[in-house]
Amino acid sequence: HRVLLDAVRYLVDNGIKWRAMPADFPPWDRVYAFFRRWRDHALVKEFHDRLRARVRERLGRDLQPTAGVIDSQSVKADAVVGADSRGFDGGKLINGRKRHVVVDTLGLLLGVMVTSANVGDRAAAQVLLHQVADAHHLLALIWADGGYTGPLVEYCLATFALVLTIVKRSDDMRGFVALPKRWIVERLFAHLMRTRRLARDFERRTTSAEAMIYWSMTLLMTRRLARSPRGRA
């Protein structure tokens, strides 16, 4: 299992093709079968959630978060992505898919949903926040940008007992400004883009794209857990 884990993480981190798996690892079809089994049975999500709990525990946080941040990221899709799961984001001028994520205040992933890029943020947020609220019962506050305004605020409060707080950019701001709370999820997107397999959407299925994001976050969290307390200081 350790060798297969390392093989999948190598593929995600370096962005290689499945058939280009180095000879140091098992044959590519065995590694892909392992990836597919963990994807279809949600084992990668369970693995990810256990690591997140250990990171939060090491940092002195409760295992269950009480606040989070929601946002989306549009990415270009490779030619293998079918027309049924790709679309055009008119705001970002991107033909591809959109990653909708919810993170805690440490920037650790709480939930992810991949859709075609033409799916609106508010429509996707209703589904994603339902999944996240069911999994994290103590979650009470979510920060979001201006794209989530409107009826979604009342919907979240009435349906999930979640307070959706909109963090807007002031009209007086010029240039780059790190907005409160929103920078946390932007940092996660920056990490995902450093993982070469996620620099573009190469997956035929949206479930595979979501699994790749979970694998990418395992890279981040295992590195944090591997550091000694003295090294962090």
Side-chain angles (χ1 to χ4, degrees):
H1 271 88
R2 175 58 188 268
V3 176
L4 291 170
L5 284 168
D6 288 343
V8 175
R9 285 153 56 92
Y10 180 88
L11 177 138
V12 175
D13 194 29
N14 293 278
I16 64 172
K17 299 178 181 179
W18 285 105
R19 293 177 182 269
M21 189 67 63
D24 297 335
F25 295 117
W28 74 270
D29 52 347
R30 284 184 56 196
V31 180
Y32 178 71
F34 175 83
F35 167 84
R36 185 176 57 191
R37 183 169 65 253
W38 275 48
R39 176 199 66 195
D40 295 342
H41 295 281
L43 296 178
V44 61
K45 184 179 184 302
E46 180 183 348
F47 178 46
H48 165 275
D49 292 349
R50 290 186 181 185
L51 288 174
R52 184 188 63 231
R54 292 191 62 180
V55 172
R56 290 183 62 86
E57 184 179 23
R58 173 172 288 194
L59 295 176
R61 301 295 187 93
D62 293 334
L63 298 185
Q64 289 294 331
T66 57
V69 192
I70 187 171
D71 204 351
S72 66
Q73 178 192 45
S74 296
V75 292
K76 294 181 179 179
D78 191 67
V80 300
V81 176
D84 58 333
S85 63
R86 71 189 298 156
F88 185 76
D89 183 348
K92 302 292 180 62
L93 301 179
I94 290 179
N95 186 342
R97 284 178 174 161
K98 187 179 288 187
R99 300 163 180 162
H100 308 269
V101 301
V102 178
V103 301
D104 63 10
T105 54
L106 297 175
L108 303 177
L109 190 65
L110 299 180
V112 59
M113 185 173 67
V114 176
T115 66
S116 57
N118 60 330
V119 174
D121 290 346
R122 287 187 287 265
Q126 292 187 16
V127 180
L128 179 58
L129 288 176
H130 180 70
Q131 298 173 359
V132 173
D134 284 347
H136 305 280
H137 303 291
L138 298 182
L139 200 63
L141 175 62
I142 296 289
W143 288 284
D145 62 22
Y148 296 88
T149 55
L152 180 63
V153 178
E154 290 77 14
Y155 177 83
C156 289
L157 186 60
T159 308
F160 314 124
L162 283 177
V163 177
L164 188 64
T165 302
I166 306 300
V167 181
K168 294 185 177 180
R169 178 184 173 93
S170 173
D171 295 335
D172 300 331
M173 293 180 179
R174 295 291 182 271
F176 172 78
V177 178
L179 297 177
K181 307 304 179 182
R182 281 174 52 181
W183 67 269
I184 298 174
V185 68
E186 296 296 342
R187 182 179 61 180
L188 176 132
F189 289 142
H191 165 74
L192 296 183
M193 297 306 286
R194 289 187 63 187
T195 309
R196 293 187 178 181
R197 184 79 182 193
L198 297 176
R200 181 181 293 240
D201 199 317
F202 295 100
E203 314 309 322
R204 295 180 184 273
R205 300 173 54 176
T206 56
T207 52
S208 293
E210 293 168 0
M212 289 294 179
I213 293 174
Y214 282 120
W215 280 111
S216 176
M217 289 303 296
T218 66
L219 291 168
L220 176 68
M221 292 187 292
T222 49
R223 287 169 185 160
R224 290 184 182 180
L225 290 170
R227 299 173 189 159
S228 64
R230 181 177 301 177
R232 292 200 309 274

